[in-house]
Amino acid sequence: MSFTLDFFALQGKTALVTGARTGIGQAIAIGLASAGAHVLLLGHRDNLGETKEQIETINGSCETLIVDLSEVDSIKEKLAPVLEKHKIDILINNAGTIYREPAADYDINEWNRVMNVNINSVFILSQLIGKQMIENGAGKIVNIASLLSFQGGLFVPAYTASKHAVAGLTKSLANEWASKGVQVNAIAPGYIETNNTEAIRKDEARSKSILDRIPANRWGEAEDMVGAAVFLSSKASDYVNGHVLVVDGGWMGR
Ligand code: NAP
């Protein structure tokens, strides 16, 4: 079939976006809705109103879903009615959390919380929804990785370990599911102005040293992730499998 711009269209598709209240997840949810998808907005508190409103403003379609992804034992039960009601075509594993402390003193409870939200829930959701996608013979999973899927970072050992694991899981699932019509890929955002980076943006010296290394000469915005997310959610990426797409203003090339 010859290429047309319709390859990027998401009409008739249902997407589930985790962590859709703020930042990158909010921008991606609005972007997918604008490309035509019905979007299930997942958050861990009843606070997704702003994202819902923004989607309704552009005449998009969405509904909200409350699941705490740190409580990994209850995810399956909470997702069951959603999977009965919807055939999910696109899963964006975006929700993430970060805890900063020098490694020697790192709180093990925080380690476990970060691992549960950033990687264990990603596996559980991918397994539950991936199974449905395999049965349907089609699906797109997009995981949100990080530059710390490649680098070590400072004072964020759990975050770094979890994001390396996200990159590994992306390739592992892609290898198993590519032949079944399910594409599993990831986006590795650079330094983006969201709640996640508030602490390092407030640290003037740290913020300047980061900016000095970014060839694009600016921090990224959540909206900078949307093009890559729509591409990896659409027919345009049907032969892209197990790729971690860096969207970082050139950081990794330095
Ligand atoms: P953010 O605004 O803090 O977004 C994180 C989202 O995850 C929020 O909507 C948050 O909800 C949700 N979340 C947190 N814990 C959750 C839980 N237990 N259950 C369900 N949802 C939960 O930061 P962001 O930068 O957009 O982060 C989005 C993703 O991008 C994360 O995976 C992050 O690691 C990744 N990332 C960010 C950057 C960056 O520079 N900003 C760079 C690389 C990768 P609440 O706000 O309601 O807590």
Side-chain angles (χ1 to χ4, degrees), residues 19 21-22 24 44-45 68-69 94 145 159 163 190 192 194 197:
R21 183 182 80 84
T22 49
I24 294 170
H44 59 134
R45 290 183 277 251
D68 186 341
L69 297 175
N94 162 80
Y159 186 83
K163 291 297 182 178
I192 314 301
T194 67
T197 51

Side-chain angles (χ1 to χ4, degrees), residues 43-234:
H44 59 134
R45 290 183 277 251
D46 188 9
N47 56 12
L48 293 151
E50 187 193 310
T51 310
K52 192 167 186 286
E53 235 177 76
Q54 289 199 40
I55 289 178
E56 286 164 359
T57 304
I58 56 163
N59 291 323
S61 157
C62 68
E63 58 195 276
T64 60
L65 190 62
I66 314 286
V67 181
D68 186 341
L69 297 175
S70 68
E71 293 175 7
V72 287
D73 292 339
S74 62
I75 295 176
K76 188 173 178 182
E77 191 192 319
K78 291 204 170 131
L79 253 278
V82 181
L83 292 179
E84 251 174 52
K85 184 173 164 200
H86 296 281
K87 168 182 154 291
I88 295 172
D89 305 288
I90 300 158
L91 166 63
I92 312 285
N93 280 312
N94 162 80
T97 188
I98 194 159
Y99 178 72
R100 296 170 207 278
E101 192 169 36
D105 298 318
Y106 208 81
D107 183 332
I108 191 66
N109 294 320
E110 289 296 338
W111 171 279
N112 288 331
R113 187 183 62 82
V114 171
M115 293 308 248
N116 279 338
V117 176
N118 290 12
I119 180 64
N120 294 336
S121 79
V122 171
F123 180 65
I124 293 166
L125 286 176
S126 301
Q127 189 183 43
L128 287 171
I129 294 170
K131 206 170 199 163
Q132 197 193 48
M133 289 173 170
I134 290 167
E135 281 163 18
N136 296 328
K140 302 275 181 183
I141 298 179
V142 182
N143 297 323
I144 304 303
S146 167
L147 295 180
L148 299 193
S149 296
F150 310 101
Q151 303 179 317
L154 267 178
F155 311 128
V156 287
Y159 186 83
T160 300
S162 71
K163 291 297 182 178
H164 272 65
V166 166
L169 181 65
T170 299
K171 294 170 199 172
S172 164
L173 297 181
N175 290 344
E176 284 198 43
W177 297 349
S179 65
K180 303 179 193 308
V182 179
Q183 286 82 48
V184 186
N185 292 290
I187 295 169
Y191 285 89
I192 314 301
E193 288 178 355
T194 67
N195 295 342
N196 174 291
T197 51
E198 196 180 350
I200 49 174
R201 278 185 288 118
K202 276 188 180 154
D203 177 339
E204 244 174 63
R206 189 80 202 284
S207 176
K208 180 177 181 317
S209 82
I210 287 169
L211 186 59
D212 284 347
R213 192 194 147 148
I214 303 174
N217 198 30
R218 66 171 175 88
W219 281 63
E221 293 171 14
E223 285 70 25
D224 287 315
M225 304 302 117
V226 176
V230 170
F231 166 60
L232 292 175
S233 299
S234 73

Side-chain angles (χ1 to χ4, degrees), residues 2-52:
S2 328
F3 177 81
T4 71
L5 269 183
D6 288 345
F7 279 32
F8 289 98
L10 301 179
Q11 264 87 15
K13 304 288 184 193
T14 297
L16 190 155
V17 181
T18 70
R21 183 182 80 84
T22 49
I24 294 170
Q26 182 181 55
I28 290 177
I30 296 168
L32 298 185
S34 149
H38 174 64
V39 186
L40 310 179
L41 309 168
L42 186 149
H44 59 134
R45 290 183 277 251
D46 188 9
N47 56 12
L48 293 151
E50 187 193 310
T51 310
K52 192 167 186 286

